[in-house]
DNA sequence: TATTGGGCAA
DNA sequence: ATTTTTGCCCAATA
């Protein structure tokens, strides 16, 4: 890896040493001693660690390690920050403690032509997007920093440990980064940033984990680095001594690279051109320089590579330990020189062309002619699957694809067959239903995370399959929806199946817990993240208008809301009649425009009530497989079915047909991921190329309830992606909606009572029996309602006998509704059956 | 073959 | 300022 070696030479100046010495005397309070000292040892080559401390550490989960690691390496830590001499003057006093005052950083004379500011204590970078060099700066920042917020004008990025790790992993050196940064910054590069970059690039990417002949090796061009690892009291003993190599390291030479071709690129001309092309039309002086290093490897192909072997079970331990030592292991797969594993007959179909941003993300992965492990973040509908397939077609070795549900397993297989020329016998599915292997000696297996991680008693076939999966080497592991992996159970996948490279795909690298950073060492750095706004401007995904509709709660609802327990609260703000009206109005409006509408409600009771009242089809977890298909097909093809109600089942486990409008009436607390995922459902809209076409995303919120808070939180991710939420407090001509529901006070009171009654009974025989399809539903009365402890007395006080009569009436109305739905539905089904028949016989 | 319960995530 | 229930998946059961 010549570029990296050069980096080491250039990036080890005296000042960083001074920085470390000063840090030694002031370890952060939350910083474990062992971590701190091990990090320091980089300077003076000694590993005087407290052994018991280290033992304890080993027992801790990887997660804890990662968090500590991040703390120690944080830019805001003292050892980086000591180095700014802050000056104070007459203005400083206006800032609190002078803390956020950075005007001591002098502007360069030509600062107006430079688009970037950098904040020296957090590594925040601000980009003036309108600058003529805005595009160039964006490309640079995407490589070295994490996007934080990208609204219209000023974009915010953050340079972090992980982002620099990613930069190094695509072959950049400290010098590359500093030169480009300096060129784009309005100020000089602050000293803290300079040492931060230098120290990181020096440490990162030097040690690699490679799989050779089903054995794992730790590899580096830097012999001293390996010696240091072998001296470590955790890694050292784990080394496998193969016969003949004695105490010396295995030495091989890095093979020469030829021009790698990523299939599907416009002229399939390989990485170098792909990179130049990715630079776009603008003159990209810096960028050209930047990417030139990616291919520098060709220069000296006699590079000696040192390695030692470690056993399979130690991989996790070693990865963890190297992380502690501040030298995270990078995984690279030199697939073109792998003749141990059989090649897979696979290529993209000849006329397939991948989009520029897909190409860009793949060129990050294959930047140096090898397959790097990492994560690619693309919004839903932007073609994540095709990126994965193209990666598989580039590597041409055995592939294992992991998905979240068996639905997407089937889809992935179909996509593979659609985009590539893979022999259908070579791509097999491993789920509860199907446990076939591929016929040849290599191929593709598509399966789910839970299939692979399940540790309980398994059927004989599954066991055999698992042994098969575990027993061989895979060229590529594709991890769909990779944000689920950090969960305790799912991370077991990483160690149980041996793969040379891993590619994680996701739309939202977000979780409400802090485990997302674990992906950086479980899989690899984030290689690429698309800018949603940019993609929608280019017409790859739909343009979306987002709105939050504020629905006032009628007083009687609000009173009840204040008294209710948390579940009832959720039900009540979903059942808010104003919300219902707003929903009805929006459905009306958009159906008239010819839109396809999806309504999401996490709250099952309201989901069913809304759907029944409005006579729309709905799907939730209890809906049987066949019905789901029928409803979905109707929604897709039947011009009379334009609105579909969905529970959160629609978030992950359904392959939804495309819709153009999305209405949210109830959602899962403040989950930003859910919000983003749901928005993603309308990004595919095909009509996006029509002039002025917009998709719509409405979030209905009951005023003055918890929903307001959650809603704001949920939106933050989308706002950071550049979406602007309009707040609507009044819908124009709402009252002109035909058959507007709950228009009278009496109806509203009824609704409230019915809601209370139905939910009190524990849902025993509530709407479940009015299921559109009359099918018995699992867990109908089950765990729900345990906590509801309302007495009949409370209800009596509220209602009065008169209103009880209306409840009866309403039940009758529901039944009529159901009959209608059934009658209607029968015609749909016939139609669908005919259609199916046509498709079948036609082909 | 359909249903049920356990485990897990969000 | 925080949560609960829901849904998925598998394997066992009748």
């Amino acid at each position: 890896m010549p570029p990296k070696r050069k980096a080491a030479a250039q990036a080890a100046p005296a000042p960083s040493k001074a920085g470390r010495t000063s840090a030694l005397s002031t370890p952060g309070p939350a910083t474990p001693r062992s971590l701190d000292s091990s990090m320091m040892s980089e300077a003076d080559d000694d590993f005087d660690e407290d052994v018991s401390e280290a033992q304890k550490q080993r027992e801790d989960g990887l997660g804890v390690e990662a968090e500590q690691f991040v703390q120690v390496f944080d830019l805001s830590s003292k050892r980086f920050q000591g180095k700014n001499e802050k000056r104070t003057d007459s203005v400083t006093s206006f800032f609190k403690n002078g803390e956020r005052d950075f005007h001591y950083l002098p502007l360069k004379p030509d600062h107006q032509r430079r688009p970037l500011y950098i904040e020296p204590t957090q590594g925040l970078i601000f980009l003036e997007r309108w600058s003529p060099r805005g595009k160039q700066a964006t490309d640079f920042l995407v490589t070295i920093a994490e996007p934080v917020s990208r609204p219209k004008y000023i974009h915010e990025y953050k340079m972090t440990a992980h982002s620099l790790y990613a930069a190094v992993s695509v072959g950049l050196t400290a010098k590359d980064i500093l030169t480009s940064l300096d060129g784009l910054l309005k100020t000089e590069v602050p000293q803290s940033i300079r040492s931060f970059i230098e120290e990181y690039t020096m440490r990162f990417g030097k040690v690699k984990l490679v799989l050779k002949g089903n054995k794992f090796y730790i590899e580096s061009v830097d012999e001293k680095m390996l010696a240091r690892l072998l001296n470590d009291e955790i890694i050292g003993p784990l080394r496998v001594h193969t016969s003949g190599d004695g105490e010396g390291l295995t030495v091989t030479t890095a093979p020469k690279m030829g021009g790698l071709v990523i299939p599907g690129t416009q002229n399939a001309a390989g990485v170098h051109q792909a990179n130049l092309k990715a630079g776009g039309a603008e003159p990209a002086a810096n960028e050209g320089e930047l990417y030139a290093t990616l291919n520098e490897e060709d220069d000296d192909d006699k590079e000696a590579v040192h390695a030692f072997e470690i056993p399979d079970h130690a991989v996790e331990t070693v990865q963890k330990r190297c992380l502690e030592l501040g030298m995270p292991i990078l995984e690279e797969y030199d697939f073109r020189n792998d003749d141990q594993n059989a090649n897979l007959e696979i290529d993209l179909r000849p006329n397939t062309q991948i989009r520029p941003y897909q190409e860009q993300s793949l060129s990050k992965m294959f930047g140096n002619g090898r397959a790097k492990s990492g994560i690619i973040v693309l919004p839903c509908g932007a073609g994540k699957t095709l990126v994965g397939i193209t990666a598989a077609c580039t590597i041409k070795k055995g592939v294992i694809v992991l998905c979240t549900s068996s639905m997407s397993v089937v889809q992935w297989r179909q996509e593979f067959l659609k985009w590539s020329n893979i022999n259908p016998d070579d791509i097999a599915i491993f789920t509860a239903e199907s446990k076939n292997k591929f016929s040849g000696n290599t191929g593709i297996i598509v399966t789910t995370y839970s299939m692979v991680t399940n540790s309980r008693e398994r059927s004989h076939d599954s066991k055999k399959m698992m042994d098969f999966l575990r027993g061989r080497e895979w060229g590529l592991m594709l991890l769909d929806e990779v944000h689920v992996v950090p969960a305790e159970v799912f991370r077991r996948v990483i160690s149980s199946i041996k793969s040379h490279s891993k590619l994680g795909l996701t739309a939202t690298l977000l979780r409400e817990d802090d485990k997302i950073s674990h992906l950086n060492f479980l899989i690899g750095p984030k290689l690429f993240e698309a800018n949603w706004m940019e993609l929608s401007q280019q017409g790859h995904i739909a343009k979306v208008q987002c709105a939050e509709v504020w629905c006032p709660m009628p007083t009687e609802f609000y009173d009840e809301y204040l008294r209710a327990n948390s579940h009832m609260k959720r039900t009540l703000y979903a059942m808010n009649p104003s919300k219902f009206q707003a929903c009805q109005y929006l459905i009306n409006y958009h159906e008239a425009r010819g839109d396809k509408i999806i309504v999401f409600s996490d709250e099952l009771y309201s989901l069913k009530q809304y759907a029944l009242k409005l006579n729309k089809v709905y799907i939730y977890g209890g809906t049987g497989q066949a019905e789901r298909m029928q409803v979905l097909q109707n929604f897709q093809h039947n011009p009379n079915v334009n609105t579909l109600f969905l529970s959160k089942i629609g978030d992950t486990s359904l392959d939804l047909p495309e819709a153009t409008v999305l209405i949210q009436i109830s959602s899962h607390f403040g989950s930003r991921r859910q919000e983003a995922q749901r928005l993603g459902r309308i990004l595919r809209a095909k009509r996006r190329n029509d002039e002025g076409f917009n998709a719509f995303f409405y979030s209905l919120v009951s005023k003055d309830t918890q929903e307001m808070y959650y809603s704001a939180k949920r939106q933050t991710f989308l706002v950071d992606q550049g979406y602007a939420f309009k707040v609507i407090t009044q819908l124009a001509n709402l009252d002109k909606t035909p058959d507007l529901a709950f228009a009278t006070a009496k109806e509203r009171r009824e609704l409230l009572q019915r809601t209370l009654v139905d939910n009190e009974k524990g849902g025993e025989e509530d709407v479940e029996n009015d299921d559109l399809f009359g099918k018995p539903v699992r867990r109908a009365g089950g765990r729900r309602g345990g906590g509801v402890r309302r007495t009949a007395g409370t209800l009596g006080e509220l209602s009065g006998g008169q209103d009880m009569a209306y409840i009866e009436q309403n039940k009758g109305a529901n039944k009529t509704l159901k009959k209608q739905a059934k009658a209607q539905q029968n015609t749909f089904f016939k139609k669908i059956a005919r259609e199916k028949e046509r498709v079948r016989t036609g082909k």
Side-chain angles (χ1 to χ4, degrees):
Chain A
M1 304 281 101
K4 278 143 208 169
R5 191 196 52 220
K6 272 180 226 154
Q10 284 153 357
S16 56
K17 199 162 191 171
R20 279 193 289 273
T21 317
S22 71
L24 234 182
S25 53
T26 55
T31 307
R33 183 67 201 165
S34 71
L35 263 185
D36 214 22
S37 60
S38 64
M39 191 189 57
M40 292 319 133
S41 63
E42 211 269 334
D44 47 23
D45 268 7
D46 80 31
F47 286 78
D48 56 340
E49 296 213 25
D50 184 344
V51 177
S52 63
E53 177 75 66
Q55 286 288 4
K56 220 186 88 220
Q57 295 264 331
R58 186 162 21 178
E59 258 115 66
D60 287 346
L62 277 173
V64 183
E65 305 292 342
E67 275 135 39
Q68 290 166 345
F69 166 77
V70 171
Q71 277 169 22
V72 174
F73 281 85
D74 198 51
L75 175 57
S76 60
S77 83
K78 283 236 169 52
R79 66 206 188 88
F80 291 115
Q81 289 307 318
K83 289 167 246 162
N84 281 310
E85 334 94 72
K86 289 200 181 180
R87 279 177 278 156
T88 53
D89 54 38
S90 55
V91 199
T92 304
S93 58
F94 290 109
F95 297 85
K96 193 189 165 207
N97 306 326
E99 262 174 30
R100 316 299 292 167
D101 172 19
F102 301 116
H103 81 280
Y104 60 84
L105 293 169
L107 288 169
K108 291 173 185 162
D110 57 347
H111 66 87
Q112 287 191 324
R113 276 182 285 131
R114 301 173 190 258
L116 298 186
Y117 294 94
I118 192 161
E119 189 273 351
T121 64
Q122 316 260 325
L124 294 175
I125 303 174
F126 300 93
L127 161 69
E128 291 175 350
R129 192 59 231 277
W130 64 85
S131 159
R133 296 172 74 187
K135 168 82 174 72
Q136 180 198 349
T138 304
D139 290 340
F140 171 65
L141 288 179
V142 168
T143 314
I144 65 139
E146 312 246 353
V148 174
S149 182
R150 296 192 277 198
K152 201 163 178 189
Y153 297 115
I154 296 210
H155 291 188
E156 190 181 331
Y157 287 79
K158 185 171 186 188
M159 199 170 66
T160 64
H162 297 132
S163 71
L164 282 176
Y165 178 18
V168 168
S169 73
V170 297
L172 293 185
T173 66
K175 192 183 162 223
D176 300 327
I177 297 171
L178 284 168
T179 311
S180 305
L181 189 61
D182 188 48
L184 294 165
L185 269 186
K186 287 170 183 290
T187 65
E188 297 299 324
V189 182
Q191 187 51 49
S192 59
I193 300 293
R194 189 174 286 276
S195 7
F196 187 66
I197 293 172
E198 280 166 350
E199 177 151 347
Y200 270 103
T201 46
M202 191 172 52
R203 290 171 165 280
F204 282 174
K206 295 297 173 300
V207 189
K208 287 180 183 144
L209 176 72
V210 290
L211 185 57
K212 264 183 206 156
N214 222 344
K215 288 172 182 153
F216 284 104
Y217 295 88
I218 299 296
E219 188 185 279
S220 178
V221 289
D222 185 351
E223 202 174 348
K224 277 203 306 205
M225 194 81 86
L226 288 189
R228 199 175 286 152
L229 291 179
L230 284 172
N231 271 330
D232 182 76
E233 89 276 8
I234 292 176
I235 299 175
L238 288 172
R239 176 182 179 184
V240 175
H241 289 273
T242 42
S243 58
D245 73 347
E247 285 306 301
L249 298 164
T250 312
V251 181
T252 51
T253 51
K256 186 175 166 56
M257 337 193 337
L260 169 69
V261 174
I262 299 175
T265 53
Q266 238 157 25
N267 45 9
V271 182
H272 191 71
Q273 285 203 11
N275 279 319
L276 290 180
K277 215 145 39 85
E282 295 182 44
N286 269 317
E287 205 184 2
E289 218 175 276
L290 216 132
Y291 285 117
T293 57
L294 299 185
N295 296 285
E296 237 171 67
E297 208 162 349
D298 291 329
D299 295 354
D300 41 351
D301 49 319
K302 289 250 170 73
E303 189 65 50
V305 177
H306 309 274
F308 62 86
E309 189 192 331
I310 56 165
D312 301 349
H313 63 86
V315 169
E316 219 173 85
T317 322
V318 173
Q319 271 184 310
K320 186 172 81 176
R321 183 59 183 164
C322 286
L323 197 65
E324 284 173 44
L325 298 173
M327 292 178 270
I329 289 182
L330 197 62
E331 274 181 276
E332 280 189 358
Y333 177 30
D334 190 7
F335 54 92
R336 286 175 303 161
N337 291 294
D338 177 8
D339 26 84
Q340 305 289 313
N341 292 296
N343 284 336
L344 178 65
E345 269 302 314
I346 185 174
D347 225 320
L348 285 185
R349 291 194 182 276
N351 49 356
T352 310
Q353 277 216 353
I354 61 175
R355 295 173 179 162
Y357 60 90
Q358 295 173 323
E359 193 175 317
Q360 207 182 347
S361 52
L362 284 164
S363 65
K364 297 247 156 110
M365 181 175 180
F366 296 103
N368 57 4
R370 304 179 184 188
K372 280 188 285 275
S373 294
I375 296 164
I376 290 175
V377 186
L378 289 176
C380 329
K384 284 194 292 292
T385 319
L386 185 52
V387 170
I389 292 170
T390 312
C393 294
T394 309
I395 295 179
K396 295 185 200 295
K397 299 281 178 188
V399 180
I400 181 157
V401 186
L402 294 162
C403 322
T404 44
S405 73
S406 50
M407 283 288 254
S408 54
V409 168
V410 177
Q411 259 175 269
W412 264 94
R413 183 165 183 275
Q414 282 166 349
E415 293 282 309
F416 257 104
L417 294 173
K418 179 177 161 197
W419 295 107
S420 77
N421 63 359
I422 180 100
N423 179 350
D425 292 339
D426 285 343
I427 176 164
I429 282 179
F430 174 40
T431 52
E433 295 100 58
S434 151
K435 298 181 173 72
N436 302 318
K437 292 174 196 167
F438 38 75
S439 50
N441 52 2
T442 188
I444 301 175
I445 292 278
V446 191
T447 181
T448 62
Y449 290 103
S450 40
M451 238 14 232
V452 182
T453 48
N454 203 332
S455 52
R456 267 171 296 139
E457 208 43 34
R458 321 179 119 266
S459 67
H460 180 66
D461 286 351
S462 292
K463 216 177 274 168
K464 257 179 36 192
M465 192 65 175
M466 276 309 293
D467 290 344
F468 172 70
L469 295 181
R470 265 198 261 263
R472 64 196 304 159
E473 273 181 36
W474 298 91
L476 174 68
M477 184 191 285
L478 275 170
L479 300 136
D480 193 26
E481 307 293 340
V482 75
H483 55 264
V484 302
V485 174
E488 281 316 314
V489 181
F490 287 155
R491 64 166 46 167
R492 285 206 294 266
V493 178
I494 308 297
S495 48
S496 71
I497 292 173
K498 272 179 257 173
S499 75
H500 285 280
S501 57
K502 306 180 198 92
L503 175 61
L505 299 170
T506 182
T508 49
L509 207 48
L510 265 185
R511 291 167 68 99
E512 296 310 317
D513 57 28
D514 49 5
K515 288 192 181 137
I516 206 72
S517 63
H518 300 187
L519 287 177
N520 282 284
F521 61 89
L522 286 172
I523 291 155
K526 180 162 73 189
L527 297 171
F528 181 79
E529 177 168 5
N531 181 337
W532 293 37
M533 282 293 113
E534 218 166 79
L535 295 193
S536 84
Q537 274 152 23
Q538 291 163 1
H540 297 304
I541 55 177
K543 287 192 179 71
V544 183
Q545 297 289 322
C546 302
E548 184 176 305
V549 183
W550 289 7
C551 312
M553 288 272 261
T555 38
E556 63 268 29
F557 269 76
Y558 198 67
D559 285 346
E560 203 54 43
Y561 167 78
L562 290 175
R563 278 192 282 164
N565 65 24
S566 64
H567 177 244
M568 188 57 94
K569 274 194 165 79
R570 292 223 299 147
T571 311
L572 282 171
Y573 56 66
M575 292 305 294
N576 176 357
S578 315
K579 190 183 264 192
F580 193 100
Q581 290 177 341
C583 182
Q584 189 182 8
Y585 169 88
L586 290 170
I587 289 174
N588 235 322
Y589 175 79
H590 282 288
E591 279 195 342
R593 287 180 76 227
D595 282 315
K596 288 279 179 185
I597 307 162
I598 292 176
V599 185
F600 273 106
S601 172
D602 271 16
E603 216 282 312
L604 285 192
Y605 178 75
S606 50
L607 174 84
K608 280 174 271 188
Q609 292 301 319
Y610 273 61
L612 291 171
K613 181 97 182 167
L614 295 172
N615 197 15
K616 304 294 181 197
V617 288
Y618 67 87
I619 295 179
Y620 71 110
T623 313
Q625 206 52 235
E627 283 81 4
R628 287 183 197 187
M629 295 300 285
Q630 277 159 334
V631 169
L632 286 175
Q633 296 212 20
N634 273 299
F635 180 66
Q636 196 165 9
H637 302 295
N638 190 323
N640 297 317
V641 179
N642 295 310
T643 306
L644 170 64
F645 278 74
L646 285 179
S647 75
K648 67 178 165 195
I649 188 180
D651 292 342
T652 48
S653 19
L654 284 182
D655 180 28
L656 289 180
E658 89 184 19
T660 49
V661 177
L662 202 143
I663 302 172
Q664 203 170 221
I665 53 180
S666 156
S667 43
H668 188 78
F669 300 100
S671 168
R672 292 169 292 165
R673 192 201 53 79
Q674 191 184 46
E675 189 100 340
Q677 197 123 33
R678 286 180 174 179
L679 180 78
R681 291 304 189 179
I682 50 177
L683 292 177
R684 283 173 214 269
K686 290 251 163 43
R687 284 163 63 193
R688 63 185 169 232
N689 290 324
D690 298 5
E691 192 61 32
F693 170 75
N694 283 315
F696 292 87
F697 179 63
Y698 298 98
S699 214
L700 308 189
V701 179
S702 287
K703 250 172 110 178
D704 305 314
T705 65
Q706 289 172 324
E707 255 192 321
M708 299 288 280
Y709 164 78
Y710 291 134
S711 174
K713 185 159 187 288
R714 293 166 63 81
Q715 285 166 13
T716 53
F717 173 75
L718 294 177
V719 168
D720 284 341
Q721 290 297 335
Y723 288 94
F725 274 81
K726 294 190 190 92
V727 171
I728 298 174
T729 49
Q730 203 133 37
L731 293 162
N733 300 322
L734 174 70
D735 45 343
K736 285 188 192 144
T737 305
D739 306 317
L740 188 65
F742 311 116
T744 67
K746 202 151 71 176
E747 282 174 303
R748 284 196 290 270
R749 210 159 54 237
E750 269 168 45
L751 174 69
L752 177 60
Q753 281 146 25
R754 203 148 49 79
T755 305
L756 293 174
V757 172
D758 288 352
N759 287 286
E760 261 166 66
K761 277 190 286 189
E764 195 70 53
E765 42 92 46
D766 71 334
V767 282
E768 308 281 8
N769 296 336
D770 285 337
D771 186 291
L772 278 174
F773 307 101
K775 270 236 160 186
V777 166
R778 266 184 71 195
R779 223 181 273 161
R783 311 177 215 176
R784 189 135 43 98
V788 188
R789 293 200 55 197
R790 296 189 135 275
T791 61
T794 325
L795 186 75
E797 284 160 35
L798 254 164
S799 48
Q802 170 208 14
D803 284 326
M804 295 304 272
Y806 283 101
I807 293 171
E808 302 285 322
Q809 249 184 5
N810 247 329
K811 276 202 171 142
N814 268 359
K815 277 189 185 131
T816 324
L817 216 81
K818 175 183 141 199
K819 268 182 213 154
Q820 284 169 1
K822 262 195 173 162
Q824 211 176 0
Q825 178 202 322
N826 283 337
T827 56
F828 298 162
F829 286 173
K830 268 179 217 150
K831 200 166 180 178
I832 287 306
R834 250 181 283 138
E835 193 146 336
K836 266 187 185 161
E837 188 61 24
R838 195 170 49 78
V839 169
R840 208 163 49 81
T841 50
K843 277 184 185 168

